[in-house]
Amino acid sequence: MSVSGARREQGAQGAQGARARALAVLHVRSRALAVALLPAAAAVILLAGGSTGHLPGPGWDLARRIVTPVAVLVLLLAAGVALVVARARPAVSPTVPIAEEAAPDLYRMVRDLADRLGVPAPSAIALTPDCDSWLEDRTHPAHAPPPPEDHDDVAHAGRSARRAPAAPVLVIGSPFLWWMRVAELRALLAPVVAGTGPSAHPDIAAARRFVQGLDAAVAVSSAPDRGPVFRAVLAGVGWVARLLLHGSRVHAAEMERGVAAAAAERAKAVDYGLRIVAQEQVGLAYAGWDRLLTRVALPAWRMGRWPARLNAGVVAALTELSRRDRLAEGFASRLGERPACDLLEEPGAVDEATSLLAARLFHGGPAEAGPDWSPVHWGDYPEEVAGRKWRTDAARLHRILDTLRVPLADEETQASDGPTLARVLTRLTAAPDPHPAPVPAVTAVAPDDDDPAGGTAHSAALAARLTAELAREEAAAAAVPAGPQSAAAPDPDPLRDDRALPLFPLQPPRTGRELLADHITAMVCCAAMDTVGAVPGLDWLDGPTLLVGGARATDLPPQVLTLIEDGDPSGLRSWLTRQGIRPEKPVRLA
């Protein structure tokens, strides 16, 4: 047997195994239905036997009086469970829908790929702000597109709004479109699109709907905003749904493995060699995307700004990574080829939409721009994010020093009144207070996992107060409605089931020592900007950076850590002297 024949046979075995597992899942549903109907069948037999005189006597009469109410109760319970499962809305990944008129070339490429694979084409295309791609079933009635006047749906142009798509939706990771070339994206999507073939099998589709309905019913039964009676009823529904899920979990998992195996084998006939290169780009794209989110986007999100061109930024970040990393030298030459984002009619608008969704998923921002949640372009990032962040942090640090009654002027240098870096250095190197002020009680609910042995008493006190102050600010911000959409009813779009945000927080809460280091660094940067003309900058891999004389100040963090951990300012003072920064000069705060 040839290699291609062996692959086809292996793919056929995967498809057959998936169908067998789908039937096993459906058997669980059939057995549950049989159990629900069994008391009713017994009651019908008893009642029919009594009416025809075949089952006379007090014993049979007693059985009829017991079994009939039990049958009615079981039927009512089964009907309730079925109603909840049928009406519960399965979870749908938050995505940015792409209409066909907004990306005709992309739809054409996907349909051509489906034709080459011999499978149905996906019903629609959507983008996710993550480095992944998959098929998502949105055939549930709750996921039907909105009325025709709403143009935010993902259905084909001209398709009736009341018809749910039969084929699944193709979800593509947006970083792939901006970093990959067209041929690489087609090779990467081949095994994903090939999955529409097994998905079209009625048994597999029915099994998936059954499992999704059970999962949605469990979510409904766990909702906290219910009355006590309703909660008790839903608890029983949730117990039944969990029992059925437990019985079908293994079969459903094996069914999905079979579907994936069949799709992978089918896709090997299309662009198989190029797919190896595309997989290498996936790893690189993920590394650059992660650095861009955690180092560049996260500081902006914390300032109430969201970068409007995240996907364009990932190209810049990966290009910079290619320049720095010898192993990635060959990747820069790919930039001369046609990028996959050219398949979109308006890449900038799509990039902005996915950037806003990324801010929601990874940080929990509002769904729309507003006065306290506005977009920022990369050219404005240094001043509006980096510089503003440093001055805001410096102002917060001096407010805490004010509460500790730390004098503004240095007694030795007699600095002029005003917030100075010297004031911070003096505080962190002074002898411990014999009677320190108590830390505010709000720190009890804030993260404070610092090791007291790793810093001085003054740095530990400042770190605790910074943690408390930030916790207070975040609590106050959470209590204020974030934009006009918060006062409205819940988002009616069923494709935006993302109200429990952030779904994927990027980092754990910062420790007090990390906060203190950030605030001291911010104070140093403010002093550098106001005394020697330093400017804020943007590094695509490291985020906000200080440019002194046009060069990055890369040796500042170790000096700040030495000050915090040992109370030794000599290293930082020497650095300030080399740069010409005068710590006794007042700085401008936010």
Side-chain angles (χ1 to χ4, degrees):
M1 181 182 294
S2 64
V3 176
S4 59
R7 287 177 177 172
R8 285 195 298 269
E9 182 178 353
Q10 185 177 358
Q13 291 176 353
Q16 291 174 359
R19 293 166 187 168
R21 293 291 183 170
L23 289 175
V25 172
L26 296 178
H27 287 163
V28 173
R29 184 183 66 178
S30 300
R31 286 194 294 269
L33 181 60
V35 170
L37 294 178
L38 184 60
V44 169
I45 294 173
L46 290 174
L47 292 175
S51 62
T52 58
H54 288 83
L55 298 175
W60 291 111
D61 292 339
L62 178 61
R64 277 186 285 272
R65 286 194 295 269
I66 294 176
V67 173
T68 300
V70 171
V72 173
L73 179 61
V74 171
L75 285 177
L76 290 176
L77 293 176
V81 172
L83 182 63
V84 173
V85 171
R87 298 192 61 180
R89 183 172 63 179
V92 173
S93 303
T95 56
V96 174
I98 303 297
E100 185 171 0
E101 58 269 18
D105 291 342
L106 180 60
Y107 272 82
R108 191 177 302 113
M109 185 196 76
V110 171
R111 286 178 181 147
D112 177 70
L113 185 59
D115 290 340
R116 294 175 61 186
L117 293 168
V119 297
S123 62
I125 299 176
L127 298 186
T128 176
D130 201 357
C131 293
D132 198 4
S133 297
W134 65 90
L135 291 172
E136 186 161 272
D137 182 14
R138 294 179 177 175
T139 58
H140 192 277
H143 300 152
E149 61 270 16
D150 187 350
H151 299 288
D152 291 335
D153 59 276
V154 297
H156 290 308
R159 184 184 291 253
S160 173
R162 292 181 178 84
R163 292 177 56 194
V169 173
L170 174 62
V171 181
I172 306 174
S174 62
F176 296 158
L177 264 73
W178 268 259
W179 176 244
M180 288 187 169
R181 310 299 99 179
V182 173
E184 293 171 347
L185 181 66
R186 183 176 59 245
L188 183 70
L189 293 180
V192 183
V193 175
T196 61
S199 298
H201 193 276
D203 292 337
I204 294 177
R208 282 177 168 173
R209 286 195 298 269
F210 176 62
V211 174
Q212 291 172 356
L214 292 177
D215 186 67
V218 171
V220 169
S221 66
S222 303
D225 52 343
R226 307 286 186 182
V229 177
F230 205 56
R231 224 174 17 244
V233 174
L234 287 179
V237 174
W239 179 84
V240 174
R242 290 185 184 91
L243 182 64
L244 295 176
L245 274 177
H246 179 75
S248 56
R249 180 185 299 119
V250 174
H251 298 303
E254 292 299 326
M255 177 187 69
E256 297 300 339
R257 290 191 186 97
V259 169
E265 289 301 322
R266 182 186 291 268
K268 285 182 179 180
V270 178
D271 298 333
Y272 183 68
L274 188 58
R275 193 171 309 128
I276 299 176
V277 179
Q279 288 296 336
E280 295 176 355
Q281 301 305 318
V282 171
L284 186 66
Y286 184 85
W289 182 247
D290 182 70
R291 289 286 291 265
L292 187 74
L293 291 182
T294 56
R295 306 289 182 87
V296 180
L298 188 58
W301 294 338
R302 287 170 173 163
M303 295 298 298
R305 308 298 297 275
W306 50 278
R309 296 292 187 270
L310 271 181
N311 292 287
V314 78
V315 177
L318 291 173
T319 304
E320 178 66 16
L321 182 63
S322 302
R323 185 186 65 82
R324 296 184 189 181
D325 191 351
R326 290 184 177 180
L327 299 177
E329 288 178 356
F331 294 130
S333 62
R334 302 170 47 260
L335 299 181
E337 304 174 18
R338 185 190 184 194
C341 63
D342 279 358
L343 299 173
L344 303 172
E345 290 292 303
E346 298 182 5
V350 175
D351 194 357
E352 185 168 349
T354 54
S355 299
L356 179 57
L357 181 58
R360 300 195 68 197
L361 296 181
F362 298 111
H363 185 66
E368 299 175 1
D372 299 323
W373 186 243
S374 57
V376 61
H377 296 277
W378 292 125
D380 302 327
Y381 183 97
E383 185 64 32
E384 296 189 15
V385 175
R388 184 166 152 240
K389 172 185 183 300
W390 291 336
R391 297 201 185 273
T392 300
D393 288 352
R396 185 183 296 111
L397 180 59
H398 278 279
R399 286 199 303 270
I400 293 176
L401 294 178
D402 291 340
T403 62
L404 296 174
R405 296 183 177 84
V406 177
L408 288 172
D410 190 323
E411 295 179 358
E412 296 181 1
T413 61
Q414 293 298 314
S416 59
D417 289 347
T420 63
L421 177 59
R423 183 191 191 194
V424 180
L425 299 179
T426 301
R427 176 63 181 179
L428 290 175
T429 57
D433 296 336
H435 303 290
V439 178
V442 71
T443 55
V445 297
D448 188 12
D449 5 355
D450 297 287
D451 181 7
T456 64
H458 282 307
S459 65
L462 279 177
R465 287 182 173 273
L466 280 172
T467 303
E469 181 68 16
L470 278 173
R472 186 183 298 110
E473 292 177 6
E474 292 174 359
V480 177
Q485 74 283 354
S486 61
D491 191 349
D493 187 351
L495 302 182
R496 297 277 184 172
D497 193 10
D498 55 354
R499 288 182 285 274
L501 298 172
L503 295 179
F504 313 105
L506 290 178
Q507 291 179 337
R510 291 172 290 177
T511 64
R513 188 177 307 153
E514 291 172 340
L515 291 173
L516 181 58
D518 288 346
H519 284 69
I520 294 175
T521 301
M523 190 64 205
V524 173
C525 293
C526 291
M529 290 189 293
D530 292 345
T531 59
V532 298
V535 295
L538 166 62
D539 185 275
W540 291 110
L541 298 176
D542 296 325
T545 185
L546 179 68
L547 301 178
V548 183
R552 287 185 58 196
T554 58
D555 52 349
L556 176 59
Q559 317 305 331
V560 174
L561 289 178
T562 300
L563 173 65
I564 293 174
E565 295 176 356
D566 303 330
D568 181 8
S570 58
L572 182 56
R573 289 186 181 277
S574 298
W575 185 89
L576 295 172
T577 302
R578 290 196 303 270
Q579 305 296 337
I581 301 172
R582 300 181 61 183
E584 72 279 2
K585 290 290 187 179
V587 299
R588 178 173 60 87
L589 303 180

